[in-house]
Amino acid sequence: MKNILTYISLIFLLSCSSTKQKENLIGNWYSKSDIYGFTEFQFYNDSLIIYDRFGKIFTKWKVNKDKIHLNNIKGFSTKKQLTYSYKLDKSNKLLNLKILGDTIIQLPKLIKAKNTYDFFQKNIGIEIDLPMKENELTSLSFPNNLVFNIYAGFSENNLIVKTDIASDLKNLEKEVADFKQNTREELKPFLRFNLIADKNVTESQMDSIKDQLKKTSIERIFRTYKNKETDYENNLNWFGQKE
């Protein structure tokens, strides 16, 4: 009788552990990298949707200890089953995934977020509430290799102005020079700054930022805005106008 109770207790504990693991994973996870591009994992109770540069995958999933097992995979993949090893950080907000197989593939760390814009803010480490415009806006994101992003937002009420590489603009001229060096000569006249700035950045602060941008060899400055047509919660294709 004692052995039976021990067995039942063990099954119960394992079931609770598995349930807790699933609860920690359920939600939206995002990453962005030069190699893999923009990736999104949407974990639901028994299904998983994956978006990446190749398209969309719909699959069933289950978790067992430190493994995530996919089966009944539908989408571009020809695989019927796939297994990831996974590890969460202490906050359960950062997810480390490796694809297991003949070759182990390390994926970029994923950040848990409400939507793509929430991921964008968490990824750059500052909050940016974009200003609103009523007029039609121009797409600024494409082609990506011609856009140099500048971010201006707030962290603990302090204004932070940064790039994709640095936490400030101290080495902006060198960053721009390196950026131009990796651009084909005939495309250099089309390079542009995309200034993604919070609506509460003052006019004088904006003028100061633009003055620093004008000291570089990129001549065109655009600023990102939002209007009724933009949908930054589901994608990060920026829209704005020339400043």
Side-chain angles (χ1 to χ4, degrees):
M1 183 70 179
K2 184 178 179 181
N3 289 338
I4 293 173
L5 290 174
T6 301
Y7 179 75
I8 292 173
S9 298
L10 181 60
I11 294 295
F12 176 76
L13 289 172
L14 289 173
S15 175
C16 289
S17 175
S18 178
T19 300
K20 185 62 177 177
Q21 286 176 293
K22 288 196 74 170
E23 288 176 353
N24 289 335
L25 287 168
I26 287 174
N28 297 339
W29 300 82
Y30 304 87
S31 70
K32 187 178 181 183
S33 70
D34 292 336
I35 297 175
Y36 294 96
F38 183 80
T39 304
E40 178 180 358
F41 282 67
Q42 296 179 354
F43 284 95
Y44 299 95
N45 189 49
D46 60 354
S47 63
L48 168 64
I49 299 174
I50 303 172
Y51 294 92
D52 62 21
R53 61 172 48 182
F54 298 108
K56 176 182 177 181
I57 289 179
F58 179 86
T59 181
K60 299 293 185 180
W61 72 287
K62 61 181 181 180
V63 60
N64 180 18
K65 294 184 180 179
D66 62 345
K67 304 288 192 302
I68 297 171
H69 303 280
L70 310 187
N71 60 77
N72 194 24
I73 299 171
K74 297 177 181 178
F76 68 86
S77 176
T78 57
K79 293 180 179 290
K80 293 183 178 180
Q81 295 180 326
L82 191 64
T83 299
Y84 295 96
S85 69
Y86 86 95
K87 185 177 181 182
L88 288 165
D89 75 334
K90 292 181 180 179
S91 70
N92 292 325
K93 300 298 181 184
L94 287 176
L95 175 61
N96 193 318
L97 289 179
K98 293 180 181 178
I99 301 175
L100 303 182
D102 295 335
T103 302
I104 297 175
I105 301 174
Q106 174 71 62
L107 297 181
K109 285 187 179 180
L110 293 118
I111 298 174
K112 195 170 191 177
K114 298 175 188 175
N115 51 50
T116 54
Y117 195 79
D118 184 37
F119 160 70
F120 158 70
Q121 293 184 104
K122 288 178 177 178
N123 192 42
I124 63 172
I126 55 178
E127 295 181 3
I128 299 178
D129 187 0
L130 291 171
M132 177 71 75
K133 282 284 184 181
E134 296 298 327
N135 55 296
E136 185 177 349
L137 301 173
T138 301
S139 176
L140 304 179
S141 296
F142 299 105
N144 286 321
N145 63 330
L146 300 182
V147 178
F148 192 106
N149 292 316
I150 302 290
Y151 310 104
F154 295 91
S155 176
E156 298 180 351
N157 296 319
N158 295 315
L159 176 63
I160 307 293
V161 185
K162 61 186 298 185
T163 71
D164 285 316
I165 298 173
S167 58
D168 53 43
L169 302 184
K170 291 180 180 178
N171 294 313
L172 181 61
E173 290 188 55
K174 183 180 185 307
E175 286 183 50
V176 168
D178 292 341
F179 182 65
K180 290 192 74 172
Q181 189 173 4
N182 293 319
T183 303
R184 285 161 43 188
E185 196 65 35
E186 67 272 22
L187 296 178
K188 289 180 180 180
F190 302 101
L191 296 178
R192 59 189 180 273
F193 285 114
N194 180 19
L195 180 51
I196 305 172
D198 190 276
K199 66 181 182 182
N200 293 312
V201 177
T202 65
E203 186 175 346
S204 62
Q205 288 171 330
M206 286 298 297
D207 288 341
S208 176
I209 295 169
K210 290 176 186 176
D211 285 343
Q212 293 183 72
L213 304 188
K214 290 174 183 177
K215 292 177 182 178
T216 72
S217 56
I218 294 180
E219 297 179 359
R220 300 196 299 168
I221 301 173
F222 287 80
R223 183 173 180 183
T224 294
Y225 292 93
K226 61 184 178 182
N227 62 14
K228 293 179 181 178
E229 282 70 45
T230 55
D231 180 21
Y232 297 129
E233 289 191 1
N234 293 307
N235 65 71
L236 292 178
N237 296 330
W238 303 115
F239 291 84
Q241 65 183 32
K242 191 173 182 179
E243 294 286 294

